[in-house]
Amino acid sequence: MNCGPPPPPPPPPPPPGDLCFFNLNWDQSIDPNGEISSQPHYVAAAPLNSPPKLDLSMISHLHHTQQAQGSLPISEGLMPITHLDQFPTDSGFVERAARFSCFDGGGGGYAGFGRSLTANNVELGNAREESSVSDPASASGEVSLKGPPFESNARKRKAAPKGKGKETCSTISSNDPPKNSEAKDPNAKKCKLGESEGTKDDSIKPKVERNNASTTDNGNGVQKQGKNNTKPPEPPKDYIHVRARRGQATDSHSLAERVRREKISQRMKLLQDLVPGCNKVTGKALMLDEIINYVQSLQRQVEFLSMKLATVNPNLDFNNLPNLLAKDMHQTCGGPLVNSIFPLETSGVALSYASQPQHGNLLNCSIANVLENHCSINPLDSALCRTMNTHHPYFNGIGDAASQMGTFWEDDLQSVVQMDIGQTQEMVVSSQSFNGPSESVHMKMEL
Amino acid sequence: MKDHSSFKQAFMKNMLLGLKETNASSKIMSLQERKNAIKLSADVAMAFARGNTTWTRAIVVANLAKKEQCEALFRGILGKGYERMTRYSSYKSFKIQRSRKILKRSHKMCCVRRRNTTHRPQSLGVDVLARRMVEKRTQVLRRLIPGGESLDGFSLLNEALDYVIYLRAQVDLMRCLSDQKCAK
């Protein structure tokens, strides 16, 4: 998973010269990428992989040590050392071994995983994130499952240039920007898969082992690689650093950033539901536009309504506020109860009713067309009635509710706005008190 | 939203109280003054009916800082808790003013730096443009939501959510009031 361009797929039985050629190309393709940042970490890691010339004696020795440690139950099937010894020590072979090791690491042990990765390439990033996220925990089986393919990749990238004897290449490839790696990883996996499927002959596996040996043959690398190969419960500490540095998306800051972004998008979804006309647009900027427009329009409506209130009745006086307040207290006592029982119905109905006649009402300010206004108000009032009336059955019978409602509403109207009691107003009130109960009864039936 | 009708009751009560307080001298008020008074009482009523959030505090503080006239209004609505409230909020307002200054300065510096750094490369990526658009709109939203200047993205959206809900309820209630008055 570690970044770097995917290696070109070599033919299953490649001649050494061909491989060298390949490697040349690969190096060239890498070189422009890399800002040659020999960071201490990588420099430290590079010598592990550095020795291009492998002594077979060294390898065998290493192999012995590994077996002695017992940390190498290699999934590909452990080949006897004699197998290893069969192969010449030319750099081409080493390099090819290096390349195939990763293939086998991915293919042999984790063929299923690699396939699933290639199947849905998009998930690659996620998987990597998960693994890297849970990496510091370093105890979960998931990590140990997912870690090793990446590890094997890393080994490949490190090991492949080693065949050419270039240490800088390895560091460069491991320092590639995260996007590159993400973009190229699926391809790499595919190549690898194809390779691993194509190269199942035994002659490669010894090389793999030898490659393992070669990569691990430098002092402290032994433990690390052993762990990688055997997918032990604890992944090495090194790789936490590697991933964090390479991806730059796995450190705690970017994790926090990701959490923040998720929270924000969740809020945006809620706002989208709340603001009308906002669920058609996509994109954060457009949604913010809609929200801004909506808030502005609401604020303007408040301005307008306060202006309207100021103009309509200049001679307001609230002399019998105590009455009103008593009623208010009564209603607030009933309010929570109602809400706890019918939280959705009351609020939703009230809102929908209130928002319907809004445009009609804005223009009908003049007192001349009282009747029209009254008609347009009616839904509003009935909505209010509902919210007010739903708690009546709790202290009264349902039969009483209607009459109670009427008087209640009438009182309320009279006390909220003090007006001269004219004929029209009485009509209004009576019609409202007539309308209200019917609505409320209807409402009860619905409920 | 869930305590919608209780909010309505509280809002109505506060609103009427506020109207009573501010309209005590309504005979000599001009139209604009009356409108301002009504709007003020509506806002404050909404804020007090909502309770304790960032935007309600910002509304109260802004109104307190704006005029001394609304002192009576607050006294009327709050009753006993007024003294405690004013002490707290005056301290709060001072703090908000100062932090606003700091914010503005840092924002200016940020802008300058950004202009210096990002205008040199002529080709801007699409994602950079999109991010800039979002930032601009977030700034606008910050100005719209009371008290939003000092909030970051997530809490700003949170406040916006809350504010929109209650603003809508306020609009509904005020429409009810005005329509009833019209009807009379």
Side-chain angles (χ1 to χ4, degrees):
Chain A
M1 77 79 81
N2 297 333
C3 17
D18 198 345
L19 268 179
C20 285
F21 177 67
F22 256 133
N23 226 352
L24 257 180
N25 281 342
W26 193 55
D27 287 343
Q28 279 172 358
S29 71
I30 279 183
D31 270 338
N33 267 0
E35 42 337 284
I36 307 165
S37 61
S38 59
Q39 295 157 358
H41 175 73
Y42 285 110
V43 169
L48 302 185
N49 316 324
S50 57
K53 316 109 195 162
L54 287 177
D55 284 344
L56 275 187
S57 61
M58 237 181 121
I59 291 167
S60 62
H61 169 69
L62 225 186
H63 210 89
H64 279 305
T65 61
Q66 281 177 347
Q67 277 178 338
Q69 281 180 352
S71 63
L72 247 177
I74 297 179
S75 59
E76 293 95 274
L78 204 119
M79 290 297 153
I81 306 167
T82 55
H83 251 279
L84 275 181
D85 291 341
Q86 286 173 6
F87 297 99
T89 64
D90 58 342
S91 65
F93 255 122
V94 172
E95 160 207 333
R96 194 171 58 167
R99 201 168 291 156
F100 282 137
S101 77
C102 62
F103 301 150
D104 261 352
Y110 308 97
F113 183 67
R115 236 171 250 137
S116 73
L117 271 183
T118 52
N120 35 16
N121 291 339
V122 189
E123 283 181 2
L124 176 61
N126 290 339
R128 190 201 314 164
E129 280 166 9
E130 278 176 21
S131 67
S132 56
V133 166
S134 50
D135 224 356
S138 80
S140 67
E142 199 186 55
V143 176
S144 63
L145 268 182
K146 283 177 182 170
F150 302 146
E151 306 276 339
S152 66
N153 258 348
R155 201 188 318 139
K156 165 191 70 182
R157 301 253 163 69
K158 278 174 190 168
K162 170 194 56 197
K164 291 292 290 182
K166 290 196 175 181
E167 300 173 8
T168 57
C169 278
S170 71
T171 62
I172 286 169
S173 68
S174 56
N175 278 337
D176 270 352
K179 279 177 188 173
N180 243 351
S181 74
E182 276 184 7
K184 285 171 181 174
D185 259 340
N187 293 335
K189 294 277 178 194
K190 274 174 194 165
C191 292
K192 234 173 299 152
L193 250 189
E195 296 282 336
S196 67
E197 280 168 5
T199 63
K200 277 179 181 167
D201 45 348
D202 288 350
S203 65
I204 290 163
K205 286 181 180 172
K207 286 175 215 156
V208 169
E209 297 215 349
R210 196 175 57 175
N211 171 44
N212 288 340
S214 70
T215 49
T216 56
D217 90 306
N218 304 305
N220 49 2
V222 173
Q223 271 190 347
K224 180 172 96 180
Q225 294 284 347
K227 280 176 197 163
N228 294 342
N229 287 338
T230 58
K231 28 183 171 172
E234 13 143 25
K237 296 171 205 161
D238 257 1
Y239 275 94
I240 300 168
H241 286 299
V242 169
R243 277 195 206 134
R245 172 163 305 163
R246 198 165 287 137
Q248 292 297 338
T250 54
D251 55 350
S252 63
H253 286 293
S254 54
L255 284 184
E257 170 69 17
R258 199 174 303 139
V259 168
R260 191 186 70 95
R261 229 179 287 139
E262 270 166 21
K263 271 157 72 182
I264 285 183
S265 67
Q266 176 197 352
R267 289 293 144 189
M268 290 293 269
K269 241 169 239 154
L270 282 180
L271 269 174
Q272 208 173 8
D273 292 339
L274 197 67
V275 175
C278 199
N279 43 11
K280 293 184 188 72
V281 298
T282 56
K284 201 176 170 189
L286 291 180
M287 239 151 74
L288 279 176
D289 262 347
E290 288 291 325
I291 292 166
I292 287 169
N293 282 338
Y294 189 58
V295 170
Q296 269 178 341
S297 76
L298 281 179
Q299 283 175 346
R300 255 181 248 127
Q301 277 184 36
V302 170
E303 291 269 341
F304 174 78
L305 284 171
S306 55
M307 184 57 124
K308 190 173 156 189
L309 279 177
T311 51
V312 164
N313 204 345
N315 296 324
L316 291 175
D317 68 329
F318 298 89
N319 284 332
N320 53 355
L321 257 183
N323 290 343
L324 186 70
L325 280 188
K327 228 154 273 164
D328 274 336
M329 295 318 286
H330 173 66
Q331 285 174 2
T332 46
C333 285
L337 187 69
V338 173
N339 267 330
S340 62
I341 299 174
F342 310 109
L344 281 182
E345 281 88 348
T346 50
S347 59
V349 165
L351 272 182
S352 66
Y353 265 86
S355 60
Q356 266 184 354
Q358 119 188 9
H359 296 293
N361 277 341
L362 289 183
L363 302 177
N364 294 339
C365 299
S366 64
I367 314 180
N369 36 12
V370 177
L371 280 185
E372 271 185 27
N373 222 344
H374 171 61
C375 288
S376 62
I377 291 169
N378 249 345
L380 280 180
D381 292 341
S382 61
L384 271 187
C385 283
R386 282 173 199 189
T387 59
M388 281 163 45
N389 198 33
T390 37
H391 65 273
H392 273 273
Y394 294 104
F395 16 81
N396 299 323
I398 296 181
D400 290 348
S403 59
Q404 273 260 349
M405 178 60 214
T407 58
F408 204 84
W409 184 242
E410 205 171 321
D411 281 348
D412 208 66
L413 265 187
Q414 281 175 350
S415 54
V416 162
V417 183
Q418 298 299 315
M419 60 223 160
D420 39 352
I421 306 175
Q423 190 65 272
T424 58
Q425 181 258 333
E426 273 199 346
M427 265 180 59
V428 166
V429 169
S430 61
S431 67
Q432 277 178 351
S433 63
F434 181 69
N435 262 346
S438 67
E439 275 285 325
S440 66
V441 166
H442 186 60
M443 181 69 184
K444 259 165 227 148
M445 287 176 65
E446 280 178 3
L447 286 178
Chain B
M1 185 68 100
K2 78 170 177 281
D3 49 355
H4 201 82
S5 73
S6 67
F7 166 75
K8 278 185 178 176
Q9 309 301 334
F11 174 81
M12 277 299 182
K13 186 183 124 208
N14 286 340
M15 173 97 182
L16 294 178
L17 268 174
L19 283 181
K20 186 186 170 195
E21 291 294 330
T22 53
N23 280 349
S25 59
S26 70
K27 302 288 186 291
I28 55 169
M29 268 180 157
S30 75
L31 183 68
Q32 189 66 30
E33 275 170 346
R34 202 177 305 122
K35 179 228 159 191
N36 282 340
I38 288 176
K39 181 165 188 310
L40 176 79
S41 61
D43 279 345
V44 171
M46 177 173 68
F48 280 115
R50 170 64 182 98
N52 200 8
T53 59
T54 306
W55 60 267
T56 56
R57 263 172 286 158
I59 284 180
V60 170
V61 164
N63 286 333
L64 263 186
K66 208 157 53 185
K67 9 180 164 172
E68 298 306 316
Q69 165 219 344
C70 59
E71 196 176 319
L73 164 72
F74 282 107
R75 206 183 289 276
I77 289 182
L78 280 177
K80 280 177 236 157
Y82 176 71
E83 298 302 328
R84 190 159 33 96
M85 170 75 199
T86 45
R87 236 177 294 138
Y88 177 63
S89 60
S90 60
Y91 166 68
K92 202 77 189 171
S93 73
F94 169 68
K95 228 180 135 183
I96 281 186
Q97 286 297 329
R98 197 173 57 181
S99 65
R100 217 175 267 161
K101 252 182 217 165
I102 293 173
L103 260 183
K104 216 175 278 176
R105 209 178 305 146
S106 71
H107 180 67
K108 220 177 284 172
M109 282 175 66
C110 271
C111 280
V112 167
R113 201 180 308 147
R114 206 175 299 149
R115 209 172 297 136
N116 285 345
T117 54
T118 58
H119 275 268
R120 264 173 219 158
Q122 288 299 318
S123 63
L124 286 174
V126 177
D127 52 342
V128 175
L129 280 179
R131 205 176 307 136
R132 199 165 289 171
M133 275 170 72
V134 169
E135 271 172 18
K136 223 176 272 174
R137 278 151 182 79
T138 310
Q139 284 298 327
V140 175
L141 193 64
R142 212 161 264 160
R143 251 174 276 133
L144 278 184
I145 308 274
E149 283 93 346
S150 55
L151 297 177
D152 64 336
F154 172 64
S155 41
L156 177 72
L157 282 183
N158 236 351
E159 289 295 317
L161 201 61
D162 201 68
Y163 183 60
V164 165
I165 289 173
Y166 285 95
L167 198 60
R168 201 199 264 169
Q170 187 198 23
V171 169
D172 289 341
L173 286 171
M174 286 180 74
R175 185 168 301 125
C176 284
L177 265 187
S178 70
D179 287 341
Q180 282 165 11
K181 280 179 191 172
C182 276
K184 315 306 147 48

